[in-house]
Amino acid sequence: MPSKWTLLSWGPEGWLDDIFQGVFITVSLAAATLPLGLAIGFFVALAKKSEEPSLKLAGDIYTTIFRGLPELLTLFLVYYGAQIGLQNVIRLFRPEASVEVNSFVSGMVALGVVFSSYASEVFLSAFRAIPRGQYEGGYSIGLSRGQTMRLVIMPQLIRVALPGLANLWLILLKDTALVSAIGLSDILRQSGIAARVTREAFLFFGVASLLYLVLAIISSVGIRAVERAVSQSEAR
Amino acid sequence: MTMAQSAVAEAPPPPVRRWTRQRIVGHALVGLWALAGLGLVYFLISGWNPPLFERWAPAYLSGLGVTLKLVLISSVVGALLSLPVAYARMSRNRFLSALAYGYVYFFRGTPLLAQTFLIYYGLGSFRPQLQAVGLWDFFREGFNCAVLAFSLNTAAYQAEILRGAIQSVPRGQWEAGAALGLHRLQILRKIILPQALIVALRPYGNEIILMIKASAIVALVTVLDLMGQTRLAFSRSFDYQTYIWAALIYLALVESLRHGVEWIERRITRHLIR
């Protein structure tokens, strides 16, 4: 029986290279989800802070649904829903076709909507922290609504929303573990395979947990750097 | 025109609500949601399948029971475990607080799914030792492993909630209690906790909601909770309805809990509203 160090080595004997492929998948999934979630979250927040009641209602429904559903269920709803939906559409044209939905994209969409519903709350409270006068100041020097939003409000908004968004990023990183359930070879799935083959489950799931921990630590360092950069631009 | 006449002048007509772009987009989006809702209802009615319902309705109910039992047991055990963790975290002893910090950091920094796998599959690596102490039969059950993982996880979160709440009470409250000659535990119980728990209520409520949502993952370690039954039903019938039913049940559960917490919060903060 090979020693534990052999099992954890890089190469054909060890599993470290396989697990690191999983790290790559996990990180790229989280990184791909982030802009999607931020963009949707921002627009949902805009809808929820609007004075138009119907727009607010539409935003509230969105958040209520995607914050209320378990993430795993959302993932399955998206994955199987897309599969069945696409299959029905394609069978109109080619009756014998079978559809395989990309699990990376499904994971991205599912995690993206969950992320965005939380992010919209963060953005909303950040919007509330910005005084009305900032908008009025923007309009009074002749900026359009879009320009005011982009040049006056956004720089301040990011500063206020950053801690909340950083928190959501750490949650997103952990939530990516769920995609192993729909067959994407992320950290957890790769270590699960290693655990099953070598019968060293504690070792490999322990390694997986530590890798997530390392990702979290690296993220916190990065977040602190971003926070410092953003707060330097603050007017004193 | 006399003064009297002008005093009874009519109120100005209400401003005309114009169809601004925002209003159009808002109505369109609400319409879209309504359409989606109607589509869902139509989907559920058109695909209504009595044998399927009769076969799985009891299973869903028992699954819901398992979910609730899991969350209830883990949150109570987690609350008990969180007391020493929070105490250690606030203690002046460096070693003790570092230990508690490490515990909290680990359980908050890694996915709950990885922790559950670590316990469910990982403890199998220690089978001889566990058998020697007679705990093997306990840990062979997916449910028990899930309870252990969830309790350890929520203990870390609850310890932070508790610590934050206790530290949100101003120091002067402790000093005033000490000045009255109360014992530290008495101060904690009679002065600090009543104020801290008001602060902690909302985070505690959120934690339980998060636990209910997270509990869906135990389906991946063979526990037949609501999610587990749903997966089973879907794999047998390939009927998408099965997932929709589960989604509706989870939504109803989470929403009623959220409103319940809000109601309690309104009630216990009545004395703070001026």
Side-chain angles (χ1 to χ4, degrees), chain B residues 66-67 70 120 141-146 215-229:
Chain B
V66 171
T67 295
L70 176 79
Y120 181 67
E141 278 292 317
F143 183 79
N144 294 337
C145 288
S215 73
I217 64 166
V218 296
L220 302 178
V221 290
T222 69
V223 178
L224 286 177
D225 71 327
L226 181 52
M227 189 70 194
Q229 297 284 9

Side-chain angles (χ1 to χ4, degrees), chain B residues 75-90:
Chain B
S75 44
V76 171
V77 175
L80 292 178
L81 275 178
S82 77
L83 297 178
V85 178
Y87 176 78
R89 189 89 167 74
M90 287 188 288

Side-chain angles (χ1 to χ4, degrees), chain A residues 69-88:
Chain A
L69 287 180
E71 290 84 357
L72 188 64
L73 185 59
T74 312
L75 192 63
F76 283 146
L77 281 174
V78 169
Y79 185 61
Y80 293 116
Q83 199 145 330
I84 293 172
L86 281 178
Q87 198 138 356
N88 286 342

Side-chain angles (χ1 to χ4, degrees), chain B residues 35-64:
Chain B
L35 223 70
L38 284 178
L40 199 66
V41 171
Y42 172 76
F43 174 66
L44 289 180
I45 291 174
S46 69
W48 179 247
N49 184 348
L52 183 79
F53 183 79
E54 271 158 36
R55 163 80 182 76
W56 290 103
Y60 271 49
L61 270 185
S62 86
L64 183 63

Side-chain angles (χ1 to χ4, degrees), chain A residues 50 52 54-55 58 64 67-70 72-73 76-77 81 118 145 174 177-178 188 201-202 205-206 209 212 217, chain B residues 17 23 26-27 30 33 105 108 110-111 113 118 121-122 125-126 157 213 216-217 227 231 240 247 250 254-255:
Chain A
S50 127
E52 169 61 41
S54 61
L55 212 51
T64 306
R67 280 204 315 181
L69 287 180
L72 188 64
L73 185 59
F76 283 146
L77 281 174
Y118 283 97
R145 284 177 73 100
K174 289 189 286 169
L178 297 177
L188 204 56
F202 195 79
F205 285 121
S209 305
Y212 280 107
I217 292 172
Chain B
R17 294 203 58 208
R23 199 166 166 215
H27 278 72
V30 171
W33 276 123
Y105 200 90
R108 297 209 312 172
T110 57
L113 187 58
L118 191 62
Y121 295 115
S125 307
F126 303 105
Y157 282 93
K213 288 169 49 181
I217 64 166
M227 189 70 194
R231 266 160 62 94
Y240 195 58
Y250 273 115
V254 167
E255 276 304 292

